[in-house]
Amino acid sequence: MQESYIQDLFAERIGGKQYGKDAAIYKFEKIKRAKRAAKEANPDTELFDLGVGEPDAMADAGIVETLYAEARKPENRGYADNGDAVLKQAAANYMRKVCGVPIDPETQMIHSIGSKAALSILPAALINPGDVVLMTVPGYPVFGTHAKYYGGVVHNLPLREENNFLPDLKSIPADVLAKAKVLVINYPNNPTGASATQEFFVEVVAFAKQNNIVVIHDFAYAALVFDGMPMSFLATPGAMDVGIELHSTSKNFNMTGWRCGFVAGNELLVKAYGDVKDNSDSGQFLAIQHASAYAFDHPGITSGIAQKYSRRMDLLVDVLRKSGFKVTKPKGSFFLYVAAPKSARSDDGKVVEFATAEAFSQWMITENLISTVPWDDAGAYVRFSVTFAAQHTEDEGRVVAEIGKRMGRHTFQW
């Protein structure tokens, strides 16, 4: 087919004239293809998907009923723009009761159409060409991607096990730091499952003030903690002076597809986000905002979800340890991040070597019908998620026992 003139019109930020010609297959597409092939080759064997990064259950019935009732109200049918008072007030109450942070719902908070949308909007308010964004790797790349669209530069801070998967702020070169404008962090962390410490947050505030840097804390897994209370960055003395925090119903309330959350923190940053948002979307449907308000008014929903993930973590940690993996149960989230082995010897004596975490992950799908997500950004690691499909507590035990049985056919070396 003759090439269209349209091929010459794509912006350089997405590849310019070469857009669509890249033959590289990306990680998640490789995983999809491997799962499909494994299921076709083994139609009678159950595939266990431990790579899923979203909840396996429905939203609470009270949330669904609220949506139904609110969707029937004529006054909710129109544009929401930057929202109404219902979600703002519920979110302010949540911040005070659950996170210990007093927030003015009128000036220090605006709803978002999920954290991803907020992370894609914020660079427009902050990034000029040449500005540096400090991002952790491995991590969620959306803010960095959009920063690059505006001519920004991303400086990656590796998350390493020896530093408890916290970024080393002292490692940033002076010339990079001089141009740095934003630091993006995320705790509890995806993909490592690591939690921040209060000492680290204190260090971040001091670092931001010393270097005139904005801090964005993506708190997507806020209340999915197994012990104690959620640790909000905004609860740190001075945090309101330097940053904002992104909250979401997606993971905390089993509402990934609903796309609703809020941005809270520094008044000027919240205002700037709202001004750009006004030119980006017309707000989330008010019925969804009001259902989200119900969720934030019932934080016990998240506590129940966290208990389920904690129970599943205990089962999975035990199985992985029996297979030789060095693994520690995280303090929150639904992710378990472990070093990938360098080889596996099967019961039949066959030895397979893994040059990368991706190679191990692909082998796990093909040979064991167990799907994980590999990360080779800062060492070879794989991410297991405890959001696997299981109908009830007994079924959880069955699933993990079968995973252990399959992995028990191999001897791993690191």
Side-chain angles (χ1 to χ4, degrees):
M1 186 174 68
Q2 186 176 2
E3 191 170 278
S4 166
Y5 70 90
I6 294 173
Q7 188 70 53
D8 296 329
L9 303 182
F10 291 111
E12 291 300 323
R13 66 177 62 92
I14 67 166
K17 295 180 180 180
Q18 297 303 310
Y19 172 72
K21 296 183 178 182
D22 188 353
I25 303 174
Y26 295 103
K27 174 170 64 180
F28 288 98
E29 178 59 28
K30 288 181 181 179
I31 292 171
K32 287 181 184 178
R33 294 185 185 186
K35 287 194 295 186
R36 188 163 55 244
K39 289 167 73 173
E40 289 174 355
N42 302 274
D44 299 324
T45 303
E46 185 176 5
L47 186 146
F48 298 118
D49 196 341
L50 278 70
V52 181
E54 61 178 279
D56 61 304
M58 284 280 290
D60 180 82
I63 297 172
V64 177
E65 289 301 320
T66 301
L67 174 66
Y68 177 71
E70 294 293 323
R72 293 170 61 87
K73 295 179 179 179
E75 62 267 28
N76 289 338
R77 74 187 186 281
Y79 292 124
D81 295 323
N82 279 338
D84 62 8
V86 176
L87 176 57
K88 287 183 178 181
Q89 191 57 59
N93 293 339
Y94 176 87
M95 289 296 293
R96 178 173 49 83
K97 293 178 182 178
V98 177
C99 300
V101 179
I103 287 283
D104 183 338
E106 294 303 318
T107 62
Q108 295 178 313
M109 176 182 298
I110 295 180
H111 90 282
S112 67
I113 305 182
S115 294
K116 186 173 186 178
L119 289 166
S120 68
I121 287 172
L122 283 163
L126 293 165
I127 303 302
N128 292 319
D131 288 341
V132 171
V133 178
L134 305 172
M135 303 277 295
T136 57
V137 289
Y140 196 52
V142 172
F143 187 97
T145 299
H146 283 264
K148 291 177 186 176
Y149 288 170
Y150 293 109
V153 178
V154 172
H155 178 79
N156 290 323
L157 299 171
L159 300 180
R160 303 194 186 280
E161 192 168 357
E162 57 267 27
N163 201 39
N164 298 314
F165 301 113
L166 299 171
D168 181 2
L169 302 179
K170 298 180 180 66
S171 70
I172 304 169
D175 60 329
V176 172
L177 196 54
K179 298 178 181 178
K181 185 178 277 187
V182 179
L183 169 66
V184 182
I185 53 177
N186 158 229
Y187 292 96
N189 184 257
N190 175 14
T192 70
S195 293
T197 63
Q198 192 59 58
E199 293 77 13
F200 172 70
F201 279 161
V202 169
E203 179 188 3
V204 168
V205 170
F207 169 82
K209 289 187 174 183
Q210 182 179 351
N211 296 286
N212 297 326
I213 286 175
V214 167
V215 179
I216 297 174
H217 182 221
D218 180 6
F219 207 19
Y221 304 88
L224 292 178
V225 294
F226 306 146
D227 292 297
M229 300 295 291
M231 187 180 295
S232 167
F233 171 69
L234 295 180
T236 311
M240 283 284 190
D241 299 330
V242 301
I244 52 176
E245 193 165 73
L246 313 185
H247 287 253
S248 171
T249 59
S250 293
K251 313 298 170 56
N252 293 288
F253 296 98
N254 294 347
M255 296 170 67
T256 49
W258 298 56
R259 309 315 307 144
C260 196
F262 61 88
V263 174
N266 180 273
E267 184 174 335
L268 192 56
L269 290 172
V270 168
K271 182 180 185 305
Y273 164 73
D275 286 343
V276 178
K277 182 179 179 300
D278 265 340
N279 289 280
S280 303
D281 64 61
S282 297
Q284 183 55 279
F285 180 32
L286 282 171
I288 292 179
Q289 288 193 48
H290 296 174
S292 297
Y294 175 94
F296 287 120
D297 279 335
H298 294 80
I301 294 172
T302 311
S303 300
I305 296 169
Q307 288 174 14
K308 179 180 79 170
Y309 293 152
S310 179
R311 181 177 65 242
R312 292 183 174 192
M313 280 286 183
D314 289 335
L315 296 172
L316 186 58
V317 165
D318 182 59
V319 158
L320 291 175
R321 284 177 178 167
K322 288 177 179 176
S323 291
F325 285 78
K326 179 186 175 184
V327 55
T328 301
K329 181 183 177 180
K331 295 179 180 179
S333 86
F334 44 63
F335 295 130
L336 199 57
Y337 186 74
V338 298
K342 290 183 166 49
S343 69
R345 179 186 293 274
S346 302
D347 287 344
D348 59 7
K350 181 181 178 182
V351 177
V352 180
E353 295 185 349
F354 311 113
T356 62
E358 184 173 76
F360 170 70
S361 181
Q362 287 283 305
W363 175 84
M364 283 280 283
I365 296 172
T366 303
E367 295 297 321
N368 299 292
L369 276 80
I370 300 170
S371 178
T372 62
V373 176
W375 299 88
D376 286 295
D377 304 80
Y381 287 80
V382 287
R383 188 190 77 185
F384 291 82
S385 174
V386 293
T387 55
F388 55 80
Q391 297 302 314
H392 41 66
T393 305
E394 291 76 15
D395 198 32
E396 292 173 3
R398 178 195 66 83
V399 168
V400 177
E402 178 60 24
I403 290 169
K405 181 180 177 181
R406 294 182 192 181
M407 296 188 71
R409 299 194 299 251
H410 315 283
T411 302
F412 301 100
Q413 298 292 329
W414 280 262

